[in-house]
Amino acid sequence: AQSVTQPDIHITVSEGASLELRCNYSYGATPYLFWYVQSPGQGLQLLLKYFSGDTLVQGIKGFEAEFKRSQSSFNLRKPSEHWSDAAEYFCAVGVSGNNDMRFGAGTRLTVKP
Amino acid sequence: NAGVTQTPKFQVLKTGQSMTLQCAQDMNHEYMSWYRQDPGMGLRLIHYSVGAGITDQGEVPNGYNVSRSTTEDFPLRLLSAAPSQTSVYFCASSYSTGGLNSPLHFGNGTRLTVT
């Protein structure tokens, strides 16, 4: 089965600084890749997804992610952090024909003023 | 626009008790699923359904039952609660294909504690 690893449990950045959250996946072919965000006490919301085409995908709230097949990675980036981005971020991987989407353990983001 | 509604928000059970977590969606989504969220483990799929009358097991189905008698509702039953089932439970729905081609819409979760 496909799997996904988020190496960073907790990241702290200063407001205005850039951000990169790491995600590595394990699957033989090209999977569907997603980033979801969870605000405290809420469910998850989709930020962006990739399946094919341009390897740099744009999402909501100014986030982008780049698919790198050679590194089996799908890292999330944002050029300038805002305090409202503090949340937990989940990378997920899905496979065509399989309804079992796998989520990473999540990275909690703290934004310092 | 209700989206995905989960009830209750909080629940405390004693070991061995049974209960049903409710999930309803008003978006006419065919796909519905239940996840549990535990610290350091992300979300793990318990059961899912691709339409009324059709259910299947996910990654961690043991100790849970589901049914899908209508498109709107997808309840999760704990037949005999165990402390290992203490978790936050999320219901999610999608127009089709398990969240691949259309996004998963999540409820706000049910925090369950089993003592």
Tab-separated table of all heavy atoms in Angstrom, chain A residues 6 9 32-34 36 38 41-46 49 51 88 90 93-106, chain B residues 31 35 37-45 48 50 57-59 90 96-109:
chain	number	residue	atom	x	y	z
A	6	GLN	N	5.901	12.511	6.920
A	6	GLN	CA	6.187	13.921	7.163
A	6	GLN	C	7.254	13.961	8.257
A	6	GLN	O	6.961	13.685	9.420
A	6	GLN	CB	4.924	14.659	7.600
A	6	GLN	CG	3.885	14.750	6.490
A	6	GLN	CD	2.633	15.465	6.938
A	6	GLN	OE1	1.570	14.874	7.059
A	6	GLN	NE2	2.750	16.757	7.173
A	9	ILE	N	7.667	17.051	12.944
A	9	ILE	CA	6.465	17.021	13.772
A	9	ILE	C	5.982	18.441	14.046
A	9	ILE	O	4.790	18.734	14.039
A	9	ILE	CB	6.752	16.290	15.098
A	9	ILE	CG1	7.090	14.828	14.816
A	9	ILE	CG2	5.563	16.385	16.048
A	9	ILE	CD1	7.577	14.075	16.039
A	32	TYR	N	-1.737	10.237	-6.551
A	32	TYR	CA	-2.359	11.525	-6.295
A	32	TYR	C	-1.762	12.049	-4.982
A	32	TYR	O	-1.696	11.310	-3.994
A	32	TYR	CB	-3.874	11.369	-6.112
A	32	TYR	CG	-4.644	11.035	-7.356
A	32	TYR	CD1	-4.639	9.743	-7.892
A	32	TYR	CD2	-5.423	11.997	-7.994
A	32	TYR	CE1	-5.368	9.429	-9.026
A	32	TYR	CE2	-6.164	11.687	-9.129
A	32	TYR	CZ	-6.128	10.412	-9.639
A	32	TYR	OH	-6.852	10.096	-10.758
A	33	LEU	N	-1.362	13.279	-4.957
A	33	LEU	CA	-0.753	13.862	-3.761
A	33	LEU	C	-1.537	15.091	-3.328
A	33	LEU	O	-1.969	15.883	-4.165
A	33	LEU	CB	0.704	14.236	-4.035
A	33	LEU	CG	1.620	13.042	-4.300
A	33	LEU	CD1	2.906	13.488	-4.981
A	33	LEU	CD2	1.919	12.306	-3.010
A	34	PHE	N	-1.686	15.229	-2.028
A	34	PHE	CA	-2.523	16.290	-1.479
A	34	PHE	C	-1.833	16.917	-0.274
A	34	PHE	O	-1.072	16.282	0.437
A	34	PHE	CB	-3.873	15.735	-0.992
A	34	PHE	CG	-4.623	14.935	-2.006
A	34	PHE	CD1	-4.334	13.599	-2.205
A	34	PHE	CD2	-5.632	15.517	-2.749
A	34	PHE	CE1	-5.029	12.837	-3.132
A	34	PHE	CE2	-6.340	14.778	-3.678
A	34	PHE	CZ	-6.041	13.439	-3.870
A	36	TYR	N	-3.497	18.959	3.047
A	36	TYR	CA	-4.669	19.440	3.776
A	36	TYR	C	-4.198	20.227	4.989
A	36	TYR	O	-3.139	19.957	5.554
A	36	TYR	CB	-5.525	18.263	4.264
A	36	TYR	CG	-6.444	17.664	3.228
A	36	TYR	CD1	-5.993	16.711	2.318
A	36	TYR	CD2	-7.782	18.038	3.162
A	36	TYR	CE1	-6.842	16.161	1.369
A	36	TYR	CE2	-8.646	17.485	2.226
A	36	TYR	CZ	-8.164	16.549	1.338
A	36	TYR	OH	-9.022	16.002	0.405
A	38	GLN	N	-5.487	21.711	8.895
A	38	GLN	CA	-6.463	21.571	9.968
A	38	GLN	C	-6.265	22.672	10.993
A	38	GLN	O	-5.235	22.706	11.676
A	38	GLN	CB	-6.322	20.211	10.646
A	38	GLN	CG	-7.346	19.956	11.740
A	38	GLN	CD	-7.146	18.612	12.425
A	38	GLN	OE1	-6.038	18.122	12.551
A	38	GLN	NE2	-8.237	18.001	12.860
A	41	GLY	N	-9.615	22.490	16.380
A	41	GLY	CA	-11.019	22.166	16.582
A	41	GLY	C	-11.830	22.002	15.316
A	41	GLY	O	-13.059	21.899	15.376
A	42	GLN	N	-11.158	21.961	14.203
A	42	GLN	CA	-11.866	21.878	12.919
A	42	GLN	C	-11.505	20.596	12.169
A	42	GLN	O	-10.535	19.908	12.507
A	42	GLN	CB	-11.492	23.081	12.038
A	42	GLN	CG	-11.756	24.432	12.664
A	42	GLN	CD	-13.233	24.695	12.812
A	42	GLN	OE1	-14.023	24.440	11.903
A	42	GLN	NE2	-13.641	25.205	13.964
A	43	GLY	N	-12.269	20.339	11.127
A	43	GLY	CA	-11.889	19.272	10.211
A	43	GLY	C	-10.809	19.750	9.270
A	43	GLY	O	-10.300	20.863	9.379
A	44	LEU	N	-10.441	18.917	8.312
A	44	LEU	CA	-9.375	19.248	7.375
A	44	LEU	C	-9.936	19.939	6.139
A	44	LEU	O	-11.064	19.665	5.715
A	44	LEU	CB	-8.636	17.974	6.947
A	44	LEU	CG	-7.608	17.407	7.913
A	44	LEU	CD1	-8.257	16.835	9.162
A	44	LEU	CD2	-6.758	16.341	7.218
A	45	GLN	N	-9.115	20.809	5.568
A	45	GLN	CA	-9.494	21.531	4.352
A	45	GLN	C	-8.392	21.336	3.314
A	45	GLN	O	-7.207	21.446	3.631
A	45	GLN	CB	-9.665	23.024	4.649
A	45	GLN	CG	-10.045	23.855	3.433
A	45	GLN	CD	-10.050	25.351	3.720
A	45	GLN	OE1	-9.455	25.814	4.696
A	45	GLN	NE2	-10.702	26.111	2.870
A	46	LEU	N	-8.794	21.069	2.080
A	46	LEU	CA	-7.815	20.851	1.022
A	46	LEU	C	-7.109	22.151	0.651
A	46	LEU	O	-7.759	23.159	0.367
A	46	LEU	CB	-8.501	20.278	-0.214
A	46	LEU	CG	-7.597	20.005	-1.411
A	46	LEU	CD1	-6.636	18.863	-1.102
A	46	LEU	CD2	-8.416	19.681	-2.648
A	49	LYS	N	-3.613	19.922	-4.693
A	49	LYS	CA	-3.379	18.524	-5.034
A	49	LYS	C	-2.589	18.439	-6.332
A	49	LYS	O	-2.557	19.385	-7.143
A	49	LYS	CB	-4.688	17.764	-5.170
A	49	LYS	CG	-5.411	17.960	-6.493
A	49	LYS	CD	-6.530	16.942	-6.659
A	49	LYS	CE	-6.999	16.906	-8.098
A	49	LYS	NZ	-8.135	15.990	-8.294
A	51	PHE	N	-1.722	15.475	-9.560
A	51	PHE	CA	-1.730	14.143	-10.144
A	51	PHE	C	-0.865	14.078	-11.388
A	51	PHE	O	-0.091	13.155	-11.581
A	51	PHE	CB	-3.139	13.660	-10.477
A	51	PHE	CG	-3.122	12.334	-11.186
A	51	PHE	CD1	-2.591	11.211	-10.579
A	51	PHE	CD2	-3.602	12.201	-12.484
A	51	PHE	CE1	-2.541	9.977	-11.226
A	51	PHE	CE2	-3.571	10.975	-13.136
A	51	PHE	CZ	-3.042	9.872	-12.507
A	88	GLU	N	-2.248	22.693	11.726
A	88	GLU	CA	-1.569	21.436	11.461
A	88	GLU	C	-1.763	21.092	9.994
A	88	GLU	O	-2.868	21.245	9.459
A	88	GLU	CB	-2.112	20.305	12.346
A	88	GLU	CG	-1.303	19.022	12.234
A	88	GLU	CD	-1.197	18.263	13.544
A	88	GLU	OE1	-2.031	18.487	14.428
A	88	GLU	OE2	-0.273	17.431	13.663
A	90	PHE	N	-1.289	18.339	6.818
A	90	PHE	CA	-1.198	16.915	6.512
A	90	PHE	C	-0.963	16.707	5.025
A	90	PHE	O	-1.681	17.271	4.185
A	90	PHE	CB	-2.500	16.202	6.896
A	90	PHE	CG	-2.751	16.139	8.371
A	90	PHE	CD1	-3.485	17.136	9.002
A	90	PHE	CD2	-2.258	15.090	9.132
A	90	PHE	CE1	-3.730	17.081	10.363
A	90	PHE	CE2	-2.487	15.034	10.495
A	90	PHE	CZ	-3.221	16.023	11.112
A	93	VAL	N	-1.612	10.754	0.311
A	93	VAL	CA	-1.356	10.106	-0.975
A	93	VAL	C	-2.506	9.159	-1.290
A	93	VAL	O	-2.981	8.421	-0.433
A	93	VAL	CB	0.003	9.362	-0.960
A	93	VAL	CG1	0.074	8.337	0.164
A	93	VAL	CG2	0.276	8.696	-2.286
A	94	GLY	N	-2.975	9.230	-2.513
A	94	GLY	CA	-4.044	8.351	-2.970
A	94	GLY	C	-3.641	7.682	-4.261
A	94	GLY	O	-2.754	8.160	-4.979
A	95	VAL	N	-4.307	6.578	-4.549
A	95	VAL	CA	-3.976	5.787	-5.725
A	95	VAL	C	-5.249	5.520	-6.504
A	95	VAL	O	-6.273	5.172	-5.911
A	95	VAL	CB	-3.333	4.445	-5.304
A	95	VAL	CG1	-3.107	3.554	-6.503
A	95	VAL	CG2	-2.036	4.692	-4.566
A	96	SER	N	-5.186	5.661	-7.814
A	96	SER	CA	-6.340	5.426	-8.659
A	96	SER	C	-6.857	4.002	-8.472
A	96	SER	O	-6.080	3.054	-8.450
A	96	SER	CB	-5.957	5.662	-10.121
A	96	SER	OG	-7.065	5.481	-10.964
A	97	GLY	N	-8.169	3.874	-8.300
A	97	GLY	CA	-8.775	2.563	-8.109
A	97	GLY	C	-8.754	2.067	-6.681
A	97	GLY	O	-9.253	0.975	-6.376
A	98	ASN	N	-8.209	2.850	-5.787
A	98	ASN	CA	-8.095	2.468	-4.375
A	98	ASN	C	-8.682	3.591	-3.544
A	98	ASN	O	-8.267	4.732	-3.662
A	98	ASN	CB	-6.627	2.258	-4.030
A	98	ASN	CG	-6.425	1.778	-2.600
A	98	ASN	OD1	-7.222	2.078	-1.727
A	98	ASN	ND2	-5.350	1.061	-2.366
A	99	ASN	N	-9.661	3.271	-2.709
A	99	ASN	CA	-10.314	4.319	-1.924
A	99	ASN	C	-9.638	4.585	-0.592
A	99	ASN	O	-10.167	5.311	0.238
A	99	ASN	CB	-11.776	3.936	-1.696
A	99	ASN	CG	-12.598	4.107	-2.950
A	99	ASN	OD1	-12.795	5.209	-3.433
A	99	ASN	ND2	-13.077	2.997	-3.501
A	100	ASP	N	-8.512	3.985	-0.342
A	100	ASP	CA	-7.817	4.127	0.932
A	100	ASP	C	-6.747	5.199	0.814
A	100	ASP	O	-5.589	4.911	0.512
A	100	ASP	CB	-7.194	2.777	1.315
A	100	ASP	CG	-6.582	2.795	2.708
A	100	ASP	OD1	-6.570	3.872	3.345
A	100	ASP	OD2	-6.124	1.735	3.151
A	101	MET	N	-7.133	6.456	1.031
A	101	MET	CA	-6.169	7.552	1.007
A	101	MET	C	-5.372	7.533	2.298
A	101	MET	O	-5.939	7.445	3.382
A	101	MET	CB	-6.884	8.891	0.852
A	101	MET	CG	-5.931	10.062	0.713
A	101	MET	SD	-6.776	11.636	0.528
A	101	MET	CE	-7.539	11.403	-1.055
A	102	ARG	N	-4.052	7.616	2.193
A	102	ARG	CA	-3.199	7.565	3.371
A	102	ARG	C	-2.689	8.956	3.709
A	102	ARG	O	-2.211	9.679	2.837
A	102	ARG	CB	-2.005	6.628	3.122
A	102	ARG	CG	-2.407	5.181	2.893
A	102	ARG	CD	-3.017	4.566	4.134
A	102	ARG	NE	-3.549	3.236	3.899
A	102	ARG	CZ	-2.934	2.114	4.265
A	102	ARG	NH1	-1.762	2.166	4.881
A	102	ARG	NH2	-3.490	0.955	4.024
A	103	PHE	N	-2.790	9.279	4.995
A	103	PHE	CA	-2.336	10.572	5.495
A	103	PHE	C	-1.030	10.418	6.266
A	103	PHE	O	-0.795	9.404	6.917
A	103	PHE	CB	-3.385	11.184	6.422
A	103	PHE	CG	-4.579	11.749	5.707
A	103	PHE	CD1	-5.594	10.924	5.256
A	103	PHE	CD2	-4.685	13.106	5.469
A	103	PHE	CE1	-6.699	11.441	4.589
A	103	PHE	CE2	-5.782	13.642	4.804
A	103	PHE	CZ	-6.786	12.798	4.363
A	104	GLY	N	-0.200	11.465	6.208
A	104	GLY	CA	0.963	11.517	7.064
A	104	GLY	C	0.573	11.869	8.488
A	104	GLY	O	-0.596	12.142	8.775
A	105	ALA	N	1.560	11.854	9.367
A	105	ALA	CA	1.295	12.105	10.786
A	105	ALA	C	1.040	13.574	11.085
A	105	ALA	O	0.581	13.908	12.174
A	105	ALA	CB	2.461	11.597	11.632
A	106	GLY	N	1.342	14.441	10.128
A	106	GLY	CA	1.059	15.860	10.310
A	106	GLY	C	2.261	16.644	10.795
A	106	GLY	O	3.150	16.104	11.461
B	31	TYR	N	-19.363	9.236	-2.017
B	31	TYR	CA	-18.314	8.644	-1.178
B	31	TYR	C	-18.366	9.254	0.224
B	31	TYR	O	-18.400	10.482	0.386
B	31	TYR	CB	-16.952	8.914	-1.805
B	31	TYR	CG	-15.779	8.384	-0.990
B	31	TYR	CD1	-15.351	7.067	-1.119
B	31	TYR	CD2	-15.109	9.207	-0.086
B	31	TYR	CE1	-14.280	6.584	-0.381
B	31	TYR	CE2	-14.047	8.738	0.661
B	31	TYR	CZ	-13.635	7.423	0.509
B	31	TYR	OH	-12.581	6.946	1.248
B	35	TYR	N	-12.517	8.401	9.583
B	35	TYR	CA	-11.119	8.367	9.964
B	35	TYR	C	-11.031	8.520	11.474
B	35	TYR	O	-11.879	9.155	12.101
B	35	TYR	CB	-10.344	9.527	9.330
B	35	TYR	CG	-10.089	9.396	7.852
B	35	TYR	CD1	-11.022	9.851	6.931
B	35	TYR	CD2	-8.907	8.849	7.384
B	35	TYR	CE1	-10.773	9.752	5.570
B	35	TYR	CE2	-8.650	8.745	6.021
B	35	TYR	CZ	-9.595	9.197	5.125
B	35	TYR	OH	-9.356	9.099	3.780
B	37	GLN	N	-8.149	10.026	14.264
B	37	GLN	CA	-6.930	10.817	14.337
B	37	GLN	C	-6.301	10.645	15.700
B	37	GLN	O	-6.907	10.967	16.727
B	37	GLN	CB	-7.211	12.303	14.092
B	37	GLN	CG	-5.958	13.169	14.108
B	37	GLN	CD	-6.250	14.636	13.863
B	37	GLN	OE1	-7.360	15.114	14.098
B	37	GLN	NE2	-5.261	15.362	13.371
B	38	ASP	N	-5.078	10.152	15.730
B	38	ASP	CA	-4.349	9.933	16.961
B	38	ASP	C	-3.016	10.665	16.878
B	38	ASP	O	-2.417	10.740	15.796
B	38	ASP	CB	-4.109	8.432	17.176
B	38	ASP	CG	-5.418	7.662	17.222
B	38	ASP	OD1	-6.155	7.862	18.203
B	38	ASP	OD2	-5.704	6.881	16.292
B	39	PRO	N	-2.539	11.179	17.988
B	39	PRO	CA	-1.283	11.950	17.984
B	39	PRO	C	-0.132	11.148	17.372
B	39	PRO	O	0.073	9.987	17.716
B	39	PRO	CB	-1.039	12.222	19.471
B	39	PRO	CG	-2.388	12.163	20.100
B	39	PRO	CD	-3.139	11.117	19.339
B	40	GLY	N	0.581	11.789	16.464
B	40	GLY	CA	1.738	11.153	15.851
B	40	GLY	C	1.415	10.139	14.780
B	40	GLY	O	2.315	9.544	14.190
B	41	MET	N	0.117	9.911	14.524
B	41	MET	CA	-0.249	8.887	13.547
B	41	MET	C	-1.093	9.436	12.405
B	41	MET	O	-1.474	8.691	11.511
B	41	MET	CB	-0.991	7.745	14.242
B	41	MET	CG	-0.203	7.135	15.379
B	41	MET	SD	-0.866	5.596	15.964
B	41	MET	CE	-0.381	4.513	14.645
B	42	GLY	N	-1.405	10.699	12.444
B	42	GLY	CA	-2.211	11.262	11.368
B	42	GLY	C	-3.617	10.698	11.375
B	42	GLY	O	-4.144	10.308	12.415
B	43	LEU	N	-4.225	10.664	10.210
B	43	LEU	CA	-5.568	10.119	10.077
B	43	LEU	C	-5.488	8.724	9.465
B	43	LEU	O	-4.767	8.500	8.497
B	43	LEU	CB	-6.418	10.998	9.160
B	43	LEU	CG	-7.031	12.240	9.782
B	43	LEU	CD1	-5.994	13.331	9.925
B	43	LEU	CD2	-8.191	12.735	8.942
B	44	ARG	N	-6.223	7.817	10.031
B	44	ARG	CA	-6.277	6.450	9.502
B	44	ARG	C	-7.714	6.098	9.148
B	44	ARG	O	-8.632	6.343	9.935
B	44	ARG	CB	-5.716	5.471	10.525
B	44	ARG	CG	-4.199	5.617	10.726
B	44	ARG	CD	-3.685	4.636	11.751
B	44	ARG	NE	-4.187	4.940	13.093
B	44	ARG	CZ	-4.100	4.111	14.120
B	44	ARG	NH1	-3.528	2.932	13.977
B	44	ARG	NH2	-4.566	4.466	15.304
B	45	LEU	N	-7.871	5.512	7.981
B	45	LEU	CA	-9.199	5.202	7.466
B	45	LEU	C	-9.775	3.973	8.173
B	45	LEU	O	-9.141	2.925	8.230
B	45	LEU	CB	-9.109	4.959	5.962
B	45	LEU	CG	-10.400	4.685	5.214
B	45	LEU	CD1	-11.321	5.891	5.265
B	45	LEU	CD2	-10.098	4.306	3.770
B	48	TYR	N	-15.249	2.918	4.727
B	48	TYR	CA	-15.719	3.860	3.736
B	48	TYR	C	-16.876	3.263	2.953
B	48	TYR	O	-17.150	2.061	3.019
B	48	TYR	CB	-14.595	4.295	2.784
B	48	TYR	CG	-14.052	3.202	1.904
B	48	TYR	CD1	-14.582	2.962	0.633
B	48	TYR	CD2	-12.986	2.407	2.321
B	48	TYR	CE1	-14.069	1.962	-0.177
B	48	TYR	CE2	-12.475	1.406	1.521
B	48	TYR	CZ	-13.012	1.189	0.276
B	48	TYR	OH	-12.505	0.203	-0.539
B	50	VAL	N	-18.899	3.783	-1.002
B	50	VAL	CA	-18.924	4.439	-2.307
B	50	VAL	C	-20.350	4.674	-2.795
B	50	VAL	O	-20.554	5.139	-3.922
B	50	VAL	CB	-18.120	3.647	-3.355
B	50	VAL	CG1	-16.660	3.582	-2.940
B	50	VAL	CG2	-18.684	2.261	-3.554
B	57	GLN	N	-13.935	-1.965	4.205
B	57	GLN	CA	-13.020	-1.702	5.308
B	57	GLN	C	-11.846	-0.863	4.844
B	57	GLN	O	-11.361	-1.000	3.722
B	57	GLN	CB	-12.512	-3.020	5.875
B	57	GLN	CG	-13.595	-3.882	6.475
B	57	GLN	CD	-13.027	-5.186	7.025
B	57	GLN	OE1	-11.885	-5.545	6.774
B	57	GLN	NE2	-13.845	-5.901	7.786
B	58	GLY	N	-11.362	-0.048	5.759
B	58	GLY	CA	-10.154	0.715	5.513
B	58	GLY	C	-8.976	0.078	6.225
B	58	GLY	O	-8.889	-1.141	6.356
B	59	GLU	N	-8.093	0.915	6.706
B	59	GLU	CA	-6.835	0.454	7.308
B	59	GLU	C	-7.035	-0.126	8.708
B	59	GLU	O	-6.353	-1.083	9.096
B	59	GLU	CB	-5.854	1.636	7.370
B	59	GLU	CG	-4.472	1.309	7.851
B	59	GLU	CD	-3.598	2.557	7.960
B	59	GLU	OE1	-4.081	3.678	7.646
B	59	GLU	OE2	-2.433	2.422	8.378
B	90	PHE	N	-13.250	11.581	12.564
B	90	PHE	CA	-13.695	12.487	11.513
B	90	PHE	C	-14.456	11.719	10.440
B	90	PHE	O	-14.012	10.666	9.986
B	90	PHE	CB	-12.505	13.198	10.858
B	90	PHE	CG	-11.893	14.259	11.706
B	90	PHE	CD1	-10.768	13.994	12.465
B	90	PHE	CD2	-12.455	15.522	11.760
B	90	PHE	CE1	-10.199	14.976	13.260
B	90	PHE	CE2	-11.897	16.507	12.552
B	90	PHE	CZ	-10.767	16.234	13.305
B	96	SER	N	-16.865	11.814	-5.526
B	96	SER	CA	-16.598	10.489	-6.075
B	96	SER	C	-15.167	10.086	-5.792
B	96	SER	O	-14.376	10.879	-5.270
B	96	SER	CB	-16.845	10.471	-7.582
B	96	SER	OG	-15.877	11.260	-8.247
B	97	THR	N	-14.816	8.906	-6.131
B	97	THR	CA	-13.450	8.368	-6.188
B	97	THR	C	-12.603	8.623	-4.947
B	97	THR	O	-11.430	8.917	-5.041
B	97	THR	CB	-12.680	8.895	-7.416
B	97	THR	OG1	-12.609	10.313	-7.374
B	97	THR	CG2	-13.353	8.436	-8.676
B	98	GLY	N	-13.216	8.496	-3.782
B	98	GLY	CA	-12.442	8.510	-2.550
B	98	GLY	C	-11.573	9.722	-2.323
B	98	GLY	O	-10.528	9.634	-1.686
B	99	GLY	N	-11.988	10.870	-2.867
B	99	GLY	CA	-11.223	12.082	-2.612
B	99	GLY	C	-10.106	12.333	-3.589
B	99	GLY	O	-9.314	13.254	-3.398
B	100	LEU	N	-10.023	11.537	-4.675
B	100	LEU	CA	-8.926	11.728	-5.618
B	100	LEU	C	-9.228	12.867	-6.588
B	100	LEU	O	-8.462	13.814	-6.720
B	100	LEU	CB	-8.676	10.433	-6.395
B	100	LEU	CG	-8.245	9.226	-5.560
B	100	LEU	CD1	-7.889	8.070	-6.461
B	100	LEU	CD2	-7.076	9.588	-4.656
B	101	ASN	N	-10.329	12.784	-7.290
B	101	ASN	CA	-10.655	13.801	-8.294
B	101	ASN	C	-11.496	14.939	-7.743
B	101	ASN	O	-11.641	15.970	-8.385
B	101	ASN	CB	-11.369	13.160	-9.482
B	101	ASN	CG	-10.428	12.245	-10.255
B	101	ASN	OD1	-9.303	12.621	-10.563
B	101	ASN	ND2	-10.884	11.033	-10.526
B	102	SER	N	-12.094	14.736	-6.608
B	102	SER	CA	-12.812	15.824	-5.949
B	102	SER	C	-12.433	15.770	-4.477
B	102	SER	O	-12.213	14.694	-3.935
B	102	SER	CB	-14.326	15.672	-6.132
B	102	SER	OG	-14.762	14.422	-5.683
B	103	PRO	N	-12.330	16.927	-3.828
B	103	PRO	CA	-11.746	16.941	-2.490
B	103	PRO	C	-12.626	16.272	-1.444
B	103	PRO	O	-13.850	16.198	-1.581
B	103	PRO	CB	-11.593	18.433	-2.189
B	103	PRO	CG	-12.606	19.097	-3.041
B	103	PRO	CD	-12.701	18.276	-4.291
B	104	LEU	N	-11.990	15.798	-0.394
B	104	LEU	CA	-12.708	15.329	0.778
B	104	LEU	C	-13.202	16.540	1.570
B	104	LEU	O	-12.471	17.495	1.777
B	104	LEU	CB	-11.792	14.492	1.667
B	104	LEU	CG	-11.418	13.099	1.160
B	104	LEU	CD1	-10.342	12.493	2.049
B	104	LEU	CD2	-12.639	12.192	1.123
B	105	HIS	N	-14.460	16.474	1.985
B	105	HIS	CA	-15.037	17.485	2.867
B	105	HIS	C	-15.172	16.839	4.236
B	105	HIS	O	-15.800	15.780	4.368
B	105	HIS	CB	-16.412	17.932	2.369
B	105	HIS	CG	-16.357	18.654	1.066
B	105	HIS	ND1	-16.485	20.026	0.968
B	105	HIS	CD2	-16.163	18.208	-0.203
B	105	HIS	CE1	-16.386	20.386	-0.307
B	105	HIS	NE2	-16.197	19.295	-1.032
B	106	PHE	N	-14.594	17.469	5.244
B	106	PHE	CA	-14.555	16.887	6.581
B	106	PHE	C	-15.558	17.550	7.511
B	106	PHE	O	-15.807	18.760	7.422
B	106	PHE	CB	-13.159	17.054	7.191
B	106	PHE	CG	-12.136	16.101	6.640
B	106	PHE	CD1	-11.481	16.388	5.454
B	106	PHE	CD2	-11.835	14.925	7.306
B	106	PHE	CE1	-10.538	15.510	4.936
B	106	PHE	CE2	-10.886	14.047	6.807
B	106	PHE	CZ	-10.241	14.329	5.628
B	107	GLY	N	-16.093	16.740	8.426
B	107	GLY	CA	-16.834	17.293	9.545
B	107	GLY	C	-15.860	17.838	10.583
B	107	GLY	O	-14.638	17.757	10.416
B	108	ASN	N	-16.404	18.388	11.661
B	108	ASN	CA	-15.561	18.998	12.691
B	108	ASN	C	-15.069	18.020	13.742
B	108	ASN	O	-14.370	18.411	14.670
B	108	ASN	CB	-16.305	20.153	13.364
B	108	ASN	CG	-16.381	21.366	12.457
B	108	ASN	OD1	-15.598	21.519	11.532
B	108	ASN	ND2	-17.354	22.226	12.711
B	109	GLY	N	-15.442	16.780	13.632
B	109	GLY	CA	-14.880	15.764	14.502
B	109	GLY	C	-15.709	15.463	15.734
B	109	GLY	O	-16.496	16.291	16.205
